[in-house]
Amino acid sequence: MKNFAGKVVVVTGAASGMGRELALQLADKGARLAISDMTPSGLEETARLLEAKGAQVHSQLLNVAEREAMLEYADTVLAHFGKVNAIFNNAGIAHHGEVELTEFKTFERIMDVDYWGVVNGTKAFLPHLIASGDGHIVNTSSLFGLLSIPGQSAYNAAKFAVRGFTESLVQEMRLAGYPVSVSCVHPGGIKTAIARNATVNEGSDIAQFAELFDKKLARMTAAKAASIIIAGAEKNKARILVGADAQFLDKLVRVLGPKYMPVVARAAGATLKPR
């Protein structure tokens, strides 16, 4: 997909952060937007901002983890616009906590949104993207889909799963000769509310974790991240690394292999130790 002018684009998790910026910048490129989220006020604000730009917008509350709702949503968007060209499976949540103390239901909740939400969106819209003759799927993994760190087992598991799913899909679309490009996005530290909205294990300090993320890890604005993602999608890149941190750590893992783990563990231990 060399440009998004006149294309119908779906963006999940569009109420704030990177999802909102993706929608706004796609609107600037002439796209027609179908946006969704679970936060009514934020979603309404994104829709208002898009309409102020003169964009055609379809807005709907949606839980990406609910498969039947996603399947119905795909049919609704198709009926509204007549076609669908692209989907940005961007919705996601986070959790910080050690495996020993993290409950089973927490792992399930993170996987439901961060992994199954991507699978649901991809499966629901794929037939329509193929039929469009010019389709694109952009799935958001993470820097933590390239390497693991202590305290992020649930998030790591989901984001590694997104990476594996998406990279397989890249190959399948090429082998089948379908007119659908696929990109897997790996953002580093982005200035969004994901850390502040994350859950933590009982006894942990979410404020401390959020402060650490915002001050030391979140180095790039959501607007800049969105521009990199869209540019990568326009070039049909299979892997889009967002930020110098993502690029550096991707290379580190490639060079060190499994030896990266003690290096990262020491760095994470020094950074995350209680104040």
Side-chain angles (χ1 to χ4, degrees):
M1 184 169 290
K2 294 182 178 179
N3 67 77
F4 287 95
K7 303 295 173 61
V8 176
V9 184
V10 177
V11 181
T12 68
S16 63
M18 212 160 62
R20 174 178 287 176
E21 289 297 336
L22 284 168
L24 293 174
Q25 293 183 33
L26 287 164
D28 288 337
K29 289 180 174 290
R32 294 181 282 170
L33 278 304
I35 59 172
S36 65
D37 203 290
M38 290 183 63
T39 306
S41 58
L43 189 62
E44 290 172 5
E45 176 63 10
T46 301
R48 186 191 66 78
L49 292 170
L50 290 171
E51 289 167 353
K53 289 177 174 290
Q56 296 181 41
V57 185
H58 178 276
S59 177
Q60 182 172 320
L61 291 173
L62 178 72
N63 181 351
V64 297
E66 295 179 355
R67 184 168 302 147
E68 292 304 319
M70 179 64 83
L71 292 169
E72 292 177 4
Y73 178 60
D75 291 340
T76 297
V77 172
L78 180 66
H80 183 83
F81 287 109
K83 65 175 181 177
V84 185
N85 298 98
I87 181 168
F88 285 70
N89 286 306
N90 168 77
I93 56 176
H95 176 82
H96 178 75
E98 293 75 13
V99 172
E100 180 183 8
L101 302 175
T102 302
E103 297 183 4
F104 286 105
K105 64 181 180 181
T106 299
F107 283 105
E108 292 169 350
R109 181 174 59 86
I110 298 299
M111 291 297 293
D112 281 347
V113 176
D114 292 0
Y115 172 64
W116 282 110
V118 169
V119 175
N120 292 341
T122 299
K123 287 280 288 177
F125 282 95
L126 183 56
H128 306 320
L129 301 179
I130 294 171
S132 76
D134 185 20
H136 202 116
I137 298 169
V138 182
N139 291 339
T140 300
S141 177
S142 169
L143 167 62
F144 294 157
L146 299 171
L147 82 167
S148 294
I149 71 166
Q152 291 292 322
S153 57
Y155 193 68
N156 277 137
K159 293 304 185 177
F160 266 82
V162 169
R163 174 186 169 187
F165 171 80
T166 305
E167 290 184 358
S168 179
L169 183 64
V170 169
Q171 298 169 68
E172 290 178 7
M173 293 296 100
R174 291 176 179 175
L175 287 171
Y178 287 138
V180 178
S181 298
V182 182
S183 301
C184 191
V185 178
H186 297 275
I190 310 299
K191 296 182 184 294
T192 70
I194 191 167
R196 292 188 296 277
N197 293 336
T199 56
V200 295
N201 289 341
E202 186 176 353
S204 298
D205 186 350
I206 181 61
Q208 179 181 344
F209 172 68
E211 181 182 358
L212 168 68
F213 181 86
D214 289 342
K215 288 187 175 182
K216 294 189 176 182
L217 302 178
R219 300 182 180 275
M220 181 180 288
T221 66
K224 178 62 175 176
S227 69
I228 293 172
I229 294 168
I230 292 170
E234 289 175 331
K235 295 176 182 177
N236 292 328
K237 287 186 176 182
R239 177 178 291 184
I240 302 173
L241 300 173
V242 183
D245 49 356
Q247 294 176 18
F248 170 76
L249 290 170
D250 177 54
K251 292 177 182 176
L252 180 73
V253 172
R254 290 171 185 267
V255 171
L256 295 182
K259 293 181 180 179
Y260 87 82
M261 287 184 280
V263 175
V264 170
R266 285 195 297 272
T271 302
L272 296 172
K273 66 182 179 181
R275 292 181 293 183

